[in-house]
Structures are given as C-alpha cells and as structure tokens.
Amino acid sequence: MNIAKVVVDVPASQTNRIFDYLIPDQLVDSIEIGMRVIVPFGPRKIMGFVLELTDHSDFSALKEIEELMDVTPVLTEELIDLGKWLSEKTLSFYVSAFQAMLPQALKAKYNKELQRMSDQLPETLTHIFAGRDFIDYSEYVSRNGNIAQLQRAIKEGLVEVNYIVQSKETFKQMTMIQANKEPIELEEVYADMPSQAKKQKQLLYHFIEHPEAISKKELLSSHSTGASTLKQLLNRGLLKQFKQELYRNPYKEDKYPQTTALTLSDQQQQAITPIHESVNEDTHEVFLLHGVTGSGKTEVYLQSIQSVIDKGKEAIVLVPEIALTPQMVQRFKGRFGSRVAVLHSALSAGEKFDEWRKVQRKQVQVVVGARSAIFAPFENLGIIIIDEEHETSYKQEDHPRYHARDVAIYRGGKYNCPVILGSATPTLESFARAQKGVYQLLSMSERMNKAAMPTVKLVDMRDELHAGNRSMFSRQLKEDIEERLKRKEQIVLFLNRRGYSTFVMCRDCGYVINCPHCDIALTYHRNTENLKCHYCGHDEKMPSLCPSCQSDTIRFFGTGTQKVEEAITKILPEARVIRMDVDTTRRKGSHEKLLDKFANHEADILLGTQMIAKGLDFANVTLVGVLAADSLLHLPDFRAAEKTFQLLTQVSGRAGRHSLPGEVVIQTYTPEHYSVQLASQYDFEQFFLKEMHTRKTFQYPPYVFLTLITVSHPNQIKAAKVTKKITQLLRKYLSSQTNILGPTPSPLTRIKDRYRYQCMVKYKKEPNQQKVIQKILSFYEDDIKKNQLMINVDLQPYQLM
Ligand code: ADP
Ligand code: ZN
Ligand code: ZN
C-alpha cells in the first residue's frame, strides 16, 4: 500500500474530489486511514484527510505526502463514510463535512509566509522585507503592501509564498495561576492597594473569590488584562505560577452527588420496554418519546443508557445548547460519573478537545453534548438520544447544513441501535412520521406522581390598554407576583425576543397584518415604510390606521429584558430580580452563578429570554409569567405557530414541578389564536391536527419539502438578477409539479453590506434537484470566486430569514 487517497482542505468544487498521493517509504508503516496529512498542492502545502490506502492509481507522476499530522487517526472509517454521505446530502464539500466532525482544536490553521528569492526586489518590497529572507504575509498586508505588486513579483519568481500548516491542538502543558496566600491575606493587600492599580486589584480580587488554579490564558482573557499586570502580582509572591500537564476537566466528578436508578412509574416502564428490546436485540428503531414536561423522560434516558453500558456499548445524548445547564450535566454525571464526557460550546477549545479525546480513547461510554456531539467518534454505539428534538438548534446553519436528527438516524442504522427522539412538543414532521408508523410512538401523558400541570391564565393585553393600563405588566400578573413575594415563593418571567420584531400589530384590537397569499405576517421595512411578504414578494404600504378597527395605535412591535427589569423595579421595588440574557451571561461561568443564586433564593424573580425556557427545575417556583406571547407568533416563518406552541408549553413546564402547585400567566394580544389557546390547555394532539391542516392548505412541510436558495451580493441589482436567473433555471429543469417561489428579497434584505434575495422550492419528489442545483452552482463558480457572489443552498431550511 503505497498510495493514499486524500481529500484536501480546499473547499471549492474543482477540488471537491479525491486526490492520489504517493506514500514515502518512511511513512508506509505509520500511515492509517482517517489520519490528517500534509500534502503539496500546487505551490502550497495543505492539510488533507486520508480516506483510503491502496497500491494502485490511475494517475502517473504522483506527488508525495509531506508528513503526518496525527499519530492516531482522527476519523474512524464509519465517520469517513458518514462524511461522504453528509456532503452529498447537504451539498457541501467533503472537507467541510469532515471538519465539522472534529473539535475546533483539530482544525488546521495556515500561516502564509513570504520568502525572498532574489536580491533584486522592487523598491517597496525591499523596504518591507528590510533585509530579511522571510516575512509573515500578515505583516506584508499590515504594512499596506500592494497585493498586485506582490502577485507580479511571485510571477517573476522574485518572491515565493509558503504555506505553513499549524495544528492548534494544545494538549501539552498549560501555565496555571493560583493564589499563593490565604484569602484573608490577599484581602489585606487588596485593601492597601492604591485605587489607580485597577487591573491589579481586579486580578487579585479574582483570587480572593476563587483561590484555586486557573489557566493563565483564561485568567487574562476573562479580565481583559495583560501579562505585565499579572507579573507584578507574581513578583510580590501573592500569586504563583506553575505548568500543568493537562486533561482539563471542567466537570469534576466530586462535584456531582451520585444517584441510582429510580423505580420506574408505570408509564415510564411502558415507554422503556420497547427501548430495552431494541437494545437487547440490536435492532435499529426510531422512537418518538412524547412526554409532557415533568413526566420523567430523563430517567427513561438514564436507564436506557444503563442497559447499553451493561452490554459494553456506548451512548450519545444530545441536548440543546441552552439546556445544557449545570443541572442537566449533574443528572448524567450523577448517574454515570467519570464514564461521561460533556461537549459543550461554553468550554474552551482545549477543554472540548480533552473531552473529545476521552471519547476517542474509549475512556468514556457516554457523551452528553450539543449538536456536534452527534459526531462523537464511538465505534460501538448502542443508543442515540436527542432530547427536545423539536429544537431548531439541531440544524447547523453553516456548511455543512446538517440536521443532527438525520445524522443520528443514519448512524443508528449503521450500528443497528435505537434512536430516541424526546419532546413534550415534537415537531410536526416527527409526529407525522410517528403517526404513519415510520417512528414508534411512546407516550407519557402524565407528570411524575400525577402532579397537575400548572393552570394557565390567558390575559388579554388589549383589555389592559382599554382599562388604561399601559405598562407591560397586566393587573393579573402584578397581583400574582405580589402574592408570591408575600409567600416567599419564586417567579420566572419570560420575555421572548428571539429573531426580530418587525411584524405590525394594532395595540387596540390585536390585528396583525398578514400576507393575503401566504398566511404569514408581513415584515415591516423601515426604509421604504412598506410591508412585504418574503415568501411570495407581495408588498403593500404601511397603513396609518388599523384596517380592522381604524385605531391609530398600529405599529411594529418589540421590547427588551433591560426595559422589563426597570419596569419591575418601578412597580415592585421590593422584588429582587436576576436578569438572564446574552448580556448578563457573556462571561464564562456567569450562567451557573446566576442560577445558583436563584436556587439559593437570593432573588425572587428570574427574568430572562429563551435561555430560561427549558431544563430548569426549581422547587420553589410557583409562578411563570410570559410577557409577550405574540412576539414569536408573527415572525415571517411558516413554523411561527408551532414555535409559539412549543415555547409556551416549555415555559409553562417550569412551574409547579415539585410539591407546590404552579400557575402560569400568559400575556397576549391574540388570546384567541389556536397555538396560544391549545398551549394553555396542554393539548398537543389538537394542535397537531389544526396545524397540519394549515400546512396542507398552504403547502408547507411535512406535506412538501423545501429548499431555500439565498443569493447575496454587494450590488443589489446583481443579487436580484442572479436570483431571477436561478429561478428560471429551476423552473426549466425541475418537474412541473414542483412549485418555485421567488425571486423575492430576503426578510433580512441586507447583511454586512450585502443584498440578499431568495427563492424557495416546494416539492414532493424531486430526484434531480441536487444535480440541477450543483450545475447551477458550477455555472456561477467564477462569479462566486472572483466576483463576491454568494449562493447558499439550504435543503430543509429551519431559518427562513
Ligand atoms: P421531563 O424530562 O420529562 O421534563 P424529568 O425527567 O425532569 O421530566 O422528571 C421530572 C421529575 O420527576 C424530576 O424531578 C425527576 O427526578 C422525577 N422523577 C422522574 N422519574 C422518577 C421516578 N421513577 N421516581 C421518582 N421520581 C422521578
Ligand atoms: Zn406571501
Ligand atoms: Zn385595530
């Protein structure tokens, strides 16, 4: 075997194939499939993945592999197969698919360097090289070096470009910093420090609060300070520094009290039996575990995993990024201890890499993680679990645009093992499949110990306005909060502000302006004062009076958490509030800290966005308030009603999970909307039927498949023209039953100075689609490479902006 088939790290369509390379003698014994190598490619040296080893090539004059980047393969053969499948399925490059499976730390980084090949350089170049033989390309750029001139010099052989591949893996050593004195002593020093030494004081304060070791890098970056400040503290002997050979272990086992299997309830027993069967008989089966919030789905997961581990096999558990809270980690670590690796995006690249290596070395049997954990390099998978399967964060919005659910089912098929999709509010797609028998439905319709679902009160905010209450709190909600404050119980207030709030609504009667053809809220465009449908292109003037009631209070909609916090402080000054949103949780660990504070009852009200909607479980929370239920409802997205239903159900599930009964107050301008109504009654089945009907009428998934093509370019006319042409080509080459909508401006019409247009394909069966789109993409390849054109193809899109 002296020939390797390699995919190179050049994401472009001409290079999206396998290249043959000769394996030099000294590497023949050590090279393995799935390793990364460095190969010559044109004038440069780049990274590549070895996909096959063979002794035959149809090409002559092969180049030699330069070196190996890995000692052990980073991709298993199964993952290589998966990567090929993924790239075909999502129309992305092989190399992008393989990269997506690996932790950040293994992604190769290139440094370009310029090498002087002659003494006779043009004057400006001589000046920049300043007598050196090598300079960084970035230096050339930063000194305003002229690119065209450089290109000429390269052509004439005066300068060469070298590509240096750098591996970013960082498992060698790490500099750690630790307190060198007792906190009390540090406090004394701190008190004596002059107030000008602000940065020093800040660092010192960190160690008063956290005397334990922290990596130098993390310390400096989290306090945005330089090494010199730190050095002064080290020199004074207040802190000490040491090197550590690392497995960073962000989830220390001793932090997690061990738990044992609970005796299952009857409904849990019923749900788990078919799963155990599938595990025992090694059959691939997709289960949809539809269980109301608090029904004990997690215990079913845990015991299923236990039976998999007992068989000597491995388990992957996916939870949405925002639900991967310390509480969630505790449940898995508590049961399986050091057999669990956690892959969470809040970990540093190094920490993630260490967790990943535990999987690679088979030192763990369970992985709990967000979307990309689906690629965990296990080789003896026994179960894959996707919790909250309806979450859209399981769809990756970058290349490769995969959905973790599809990957899970594909891998489950390879390993003949069960896949469990769990949710209180499954997607319409999944539930429809379960109804057709493609998935096996497992239902848990009652909460543990028959605890009641919290009662839901819908408050019509139009009535509040009419009664002269212009605040964002209804009288009902205010009263209920006051009552909880008196009883020393806690409150969760939820404000949804995902996406953006550009729908237009009448404050008086709740009327929302919809597209007459698509049943979707029109989007307000500030610059033109127009309302537009981004699906079909329909557009109309923004009215000055409500078309329904003639009131002049019609306007677009939106508010932020900070405003809400201010409002609470004004009307309920005695309430202690913790605000949790992207702003207050930016710093590492702050999420955990805020939740701990709330759990310790250091605050009465937890106010937040999406990130508090799920996974949280506080015994003392008896009231959940939803401030504006409508803000999701009118997003320009055919899934708006579904998302609203899901969110309201999830949020309501946060209340009354333990002995104290819970109550939910939902404020809305459209209490009559079926998604609000049915969520308040916890009636998923009815919602499913109703929503399926709408989808059928307007031809949306699951009745059809969608493909969204988004074209963007700095020049608006160019973007529009290309989109129009693509639409024409699609109409010509796809079947006549397929419906092609567009071209129309995207709802986000301009991002980063690029104009965006889109076209949507709605189809039932379109076996040629991939090929046709591939052709279109290669037709525009030149424009894409040289002319700043971008064409994004999203098969089964979840984000329609
Ligand atoms: P879900 O994930 O369906 O929302 P959870 O798994 O959070 O529900 O379960 C709700 C509560 O019931 C949790 O506090 C959990 O510890 C408890 N629980 C689950 N199963 C059992 C059981 N078999 N016996 C006793 N308590 C249980
Ligand atoms: Zn429309
Ligand atoms: Zn009105």
Side-chain angles (χ1 to χ4, degrees), residues 103-267:
Q104 192 64 37
L106 287 178
K107 278 165 205 164
K109 186 177 143 203
Y110 303 99
N111 270 353
K112 270 194 264 192
E113 113 193 322
L114 303 178
Q115 184 176 5
R116 184 176 63 157
M117 306 302 287
S118 156
D119 289 336
Q120 309 293 314
L121 297 185
E123 201 182 310
T124 43
L125 285 179
T126 307
H127 187 68
I128 294 179
F129 271 90
R132 293 168 296 174
D133 285 335
F134 296 91
I135 61 166
D136 258 10
Y137 178 77
S138 58
E139 182 182 340
Y140 185 81
V141 174
S142 70
R143 290 166 144 236
N144 294 319
N146 179 307
I147 303 294
Q149 184 171 42
L150 177 63
Q151 283 171 334
R152 268 197 305 280
I154 292 170
K155 253 199 194 131
E156 290 163 16
L158 304 176
V159 173
E160 259 188 20
V161 184
N162 298 326
Y163 289 80
I164 300 163
V165 187
Q166 269 189 351
S167 166
K168 284 194 290 190
E169 58 206 88
T170 54
F171 56 91
K172 290 141 210 148
Q173 277 188 332
M174 216 180 206
T175 307
M176 305 293 288
I177 309 289
Q178 191 175 11
N180 199 26
K181 295 242 154 68
E182 289 299 309
I184 296 183
E185 290 175 85
L186 295 183
E187 255 174 69
E188 261 170 41
V189 179
Y190 180 86
D192 290 342
M193 267 187 185
S195 55
Q196 306 92 281
K198 227 165 111 195
K199 283 287 171 188
Q200 277 196 53
K201 287 186 86 165
Q202 193 186 337
L203 282 189
L204 194 58
Y205 193 74
H206 169 96
F207 289 97
I208 294 172
E209 280 200 313
H210 313 278
E212 69 276 7
I214 176 175
S215 90
K216 179 172 167 185
K217 214 167 122 202
E218 192 187 326
L219 176 71
L220 296 183
S221 81
S222 67
H223 295 279
S224 2
T225 178
S228 61
T229 313
L230 175 63
K231 194 141 182 242
Q232 296 174 27
L233 297 175
L234 288 167
N235 288 347
R236 290 181 65 181
L238 300 169
L239 306 179
K240 68 177 173 195
Q241 162 172 323
F242 61 98
K243 298 264 186 201
Q244 188 168 309
E245 181 84 36
L246 272 183
Y247 247 0
R248 283 138 292 211
N249 191 357
Y251 299 102
K252 296 190 183 62
E253 272 74 45
D254 53 14
K255 256 183 24 196
Y256 301 99
Q258 291 301 298
T259 65
T260 48
L262 302 171
T263 311
L264 294 181
S265 69
D266 286 350
Q267 69 172 7

Side-chain angles (χ1 to χ4, degrees), residues 506 509 546 549:
C506 172
C509 73
C546 168
C549 77

Side-chain angles (χ1 to χ4, degrees), residues 393-658:
S393 64
Y394 287 128
K395 170 76 189 289
Q396 167 147 309
E397 295 299 343
D398 270 337
H399 277 297
R401 296 170 195 271
Y402 68 91
H403 198 297
R405 193 200 297 129
D406 300 332
V407 178
I409 293 173
Y410 187 82
R411 291 193 83 183
K414 289 272 160 188
Y415 285 101
N416 274 320
C417 75
V419 173
I420 304 180
L421 310 175
S423 176
T425 51
T427 53
L428 258 70
E429 284 92 335
S430 293
F431 203 75
R433 264 172 226 155
Q435 297 235 309
K436 278 167 103 182
V438 182
Y439 300 164
Q440 193 176 332
L441 184 64
L442 308 170
S443 293
M444 301 203 298
S445 54
E446 273 166 5
R447 288 191 143 184
M448 276 314 299
N449 305 326
K450 310 261 185 303
M453 295 301 286
T455 46
V456 180
K457 293 184 201 156
L458 292 180
V459 176
D460 189 336
M461 290 303 276
R462 295 169 299 189
D463 295 345
E464 295 300 305
L465 191 70
H466 295 155
N469 175 13
R470 289 184 170 266
S471 103
M472 48 184 107
F473 295 94
S474 59
R475 292 159 294 174
Q476 176 80 57
L477 182 56
K478 178 164 179 271
E479 215 172 88
D480 285 354
I481 293 177
E482 282 168 338
E483 198 186 299
R484 296 314 187 287
L485 291 177
K486 253 187 238 135
R487 296 209 303 247
K488 307 249 176 289
E489 292 166 9
Q490 286 171 295
I491 301 136
V492 168
L493 285 183
F494 178 76
L495 176 72
N496 171 59
R497 37 162 229 178
R498 178 185 285 170
Y500 54 4
S501 10
T502 49
F503 69 97
V504 171
M505 184 172 76
C506 172
R507 286 263 201 163
D508 236 312
C509 73
Y511 181 80
V512 171
I513 303 184
N514 275 350
C515 173
H517 313 293
C518 305
D519 194 31
I520 270 165
L522 292 176
T523 304
Y524 175 69
H525 289 247
R526 198 185 297 259
N527 46 358
T528 55
E529 292 254 303
N530 266 13
L531 301 175
K532 253 193 182 130
C533 170
H534 83 283
Y535 280 15
C536 70
H538 169 87
D539 105 38
E540 59 186 67
K541 224 74 234 92
M542 164 87 184
S544 51
L545 297 179
C546 168
S548 170
C549 77
Q550 316 306 321
S551 152
D552 62 358
T553 58
I554 186 154
R555 56 194 52 130
F556 60 95
F557 208 73
T559 185
T561 39
Q562 213 159 347
K563 264 198 182 148
V564 178
E565 190 180 12
E566 285 164 20
I568 301 175
T569 331
K570 218 177 265 163
I571 63 165
L572 298 164
E574 71 277 23
R576 297 164 301 165
V577 183
I578 291 178
R579 174 162 66 92
M580 227 164 106
D581 56 24
V582 274
D583 294 331
T584 62
T585 55
R586 193 165 293 142
R587 274 184 48 190
K588 204 175 151 183
S590 49
H591 193 250
E592 186 167 3
K593 241 186 235 159
L594 292 177
L595 291 180
D596 278 350
K597 256 175 97 175
F598 190 63
N600 295 336
H601 207 157
E602 289 168 44
D604 309 297
I605 300 180
L606 179 65
L607 163 67
T609 52
Q610 258 70 7
M611 66 180 73
I612 61 168
K614 47 192 53 117
L616 306 183
D617 192 358
F618 297 107
N620 198 36
V621 170
T622 57
L623 174 66
V624 169
V626 179
L627 290 168
D630 310 83
S631 48
L632 261 190
L633 197 51
H634 307 298
L635 283 182
D637 183 335
F638 70 90
R639 290 192 178 88
E642 184 181 4
K643 285 181 178 163
T644 301
F645 182 86
Q646 288 165 349
L647 198 67
L648 292 181
T649 309
Q650 293 292 343
V651 176
S652 306
R654 295 310 110 216
R657 293 173 65 88
H658 298 265

Side-chain angles (χ1 to χ4, degrees), residues 317-332:
V317 185
L318 298 190
V319 275
E321 192 73 64
I322 45 174
L324 198 42
T325 55
Q327 281 185 336
M328 184 61 94
V329 172
Q330 146 66 25
R331 300 180 81 168
F332 289 89

